[in-house]
């Protein structure tokens, strides 16, 4: 089972929106997908209540022991991808999510304050020796701030592609209990999320072949 964690202590950066978007894009390829919600705010469970389709499974967790139990039982059920959505804090639960992730995604809006706010998360990820990528999120339709932000993030680590633009489809999809790829299949937002998911999947597959057969033991050490 691949584990993907959306992390950054900055609120409003787009963690929950991307968690839903990515999970549903992965479902669209016929995979078994779950979301673990490690955020008391409950954005994902509220979305799930509005959703008619039974997938993805959503499991809420409140502490590190629960996250462990959830991941073990999801893997035993045959889930192929678990996306963990975390709260806007570097608490123990977020740290556990990072430690258990095959890949951490750090959504960052293109502003100096948002980039600065991502640094403590980056430090935590490096300390736990996990793989990560920034996702430039909620980018405006035009302007040089986006390329400046991309340059800064590239200098700090890997930047996922493509950028995720600021588009109403993301908000409307969340409100309708849908993933953006279900809500407006032909839209630009949908296209970006599908492409981002392909980028992420490539990294997950590369990572698992890099680390096999030791990956499990490395994870068990955290
Ligand atoms: N790409 C996007 N385009 C437009 N609005 C977005 C986008 N991503 C997130 N939002 C909106 O920004 C707000 C914060 O997003 P959210 O995913 O809840 O962030 P976080 O989980 O990091 O706190 C929400 O109102 C959400 O609808
Ligand atoms: Mg959230």
């Amino acid at each position: 089972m691949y584990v993907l964690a959306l992390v950054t202590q900055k609120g409003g950066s787009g963690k929950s929106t991307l968690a839903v978007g990515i999970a549903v894009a992965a479902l669209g390829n016929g995979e078994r997908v779950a979301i673990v919600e490690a955020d008391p705010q409950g954005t994902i469970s509220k979305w799930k209540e509005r959703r008619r389709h039974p997938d993805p499974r959503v499991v809420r967790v409140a502490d590190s022991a629960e996250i462990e139990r959830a991941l073990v039982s999801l893997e035993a059920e045959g889930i192929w991808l678990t996306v963990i959505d975390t709260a806007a804090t570097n608490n123990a639960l977020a740290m556990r999510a990072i430690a258990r992730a095959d890949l951490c995604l750090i959504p960052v809006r293109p502003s100096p304050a948002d980039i600065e706010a991502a640094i403590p998360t980056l430090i935590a990820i490096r300390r736990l020796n996990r793989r990560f990528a920034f996702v430039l999120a909620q980018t405006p339709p035009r302007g040089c701030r986006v390329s400046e932000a991309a340059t800064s993030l590239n200098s700090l680590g890997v930047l996922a592609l493509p950028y995720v633009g600021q588009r109403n489809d993301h908000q409307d999809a969340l409100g309708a209990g849908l993933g953006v790829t279900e809500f407006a299949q032909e839209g630009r937002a949908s296209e970006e999320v599908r492409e981002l998911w392909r980028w992420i999947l490539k990294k997950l597959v590369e990572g698992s072949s890099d680390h096999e057969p030791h990956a499990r033991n490395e994870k068990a050490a955290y």
Side-chain angles (χ1 to χ4, degrees):
M1 180 176 79
Y2 291 120
V3 179
L4 190 65
L6 275 298
V7 284
T8 171
Q9 62 171 15
K10 181 77 180 169
S13 53
K15 291 181 290 297
S16 303
T17 303
L18 279 173
V20 163
I22 291 166
V24 172
L27 268 184
N29 292 336
E31 305 295 356
R32 298 193 65 194
V33 179
I35 303 179
V36 167
E37 179 170 58
D39 182 357
Q41 215 165 46
T43 308
I44 307 275
S45 3
K46 287 175 202 145
W47 168 79
K48 177 71 174 171
E49 282 167 21
R50 293 189 289 273
R51 185 167 174 80
R52 299 223 178 93
H53 197 286
D55 293 319
R57 280 272 312 278
V58 172
V59 182
R60 292 196 81 172
V61 297
D63 60 37
S64 301
E66 277 185 23
I67 214 173
E68 286 300 331
R69 277 200 296 274
L71 291 174
V72 168
S73 81
L74 290 169
E75 184 157 30
E77 274 175 43
I79 296 289
W80 172 77
L81 171 74
T82 292
V83 180
I84 310 178
D85 184 36
T86 64
T89 129
N90 274 359
N91 61 13
L93 192 49
M95 290 305 112
R96 185 56 66 104
I98 291 172
R100 291 299 260 101
D102 297 301
L103 183 66
C104 299
L105 289 182
I106 312 174
V108 185
R109 286 177 301 197
S111 84
D114 284 67
I115 294 170
E116 276 164 20
I119 303 291
T121 306
L122 179 60
I123 292 170
I125 290 170
R126 285 199 186 281
R127 207 172 46 230
L128 290 167
N129 199 23
R130 304 321 293 158
R131 302 173 81 234
F132 73 94
F134 294 105
V135 179
L136 202 43
Q138 301 180 54
T139 57
R142 59 187 70 82
C144 61
R145 279 195 301 144
V146 174
S147 52
E148 282 168 16
T151 306
S152 302
L153 293 175
N154 260 319
S155 72
L156 293 169
V158 183
L159 176 59
L161 289 172
Y163 312 153
V164 177
Q166 182 164 14
R167 297 177 205 282
N168 293 340
D169 281 353
H170 290 281
Q171 302 181 6
D172 295 343
L174 218 72
L178 296 170
V180 75
T181 50
E182 298 168 321
F183 179 79
Q185 291 183 19
E186 307 303 325
R188 193 72 192 100
S190 179
E191 214 173 280
E192 285 170 357
V193 168
R194 271 198 301 265
E195 206 177 323
L196 177 65
W197 164 239
R198 281 195 291 273
W199 188 97
I200 293 165
L201 180 57
K202 198 158 155 267
K203 291 288 157 190
L204 286 171
V205 171
E206 276 171 19
S208 61
S209 59
D210 283 356
H211 296 303
E212 294 291 25
H214 304 297
R216 247 163 232 291
N217 295 337
E218 277 171 22
K219 276 193 208 167
Y222 293 117

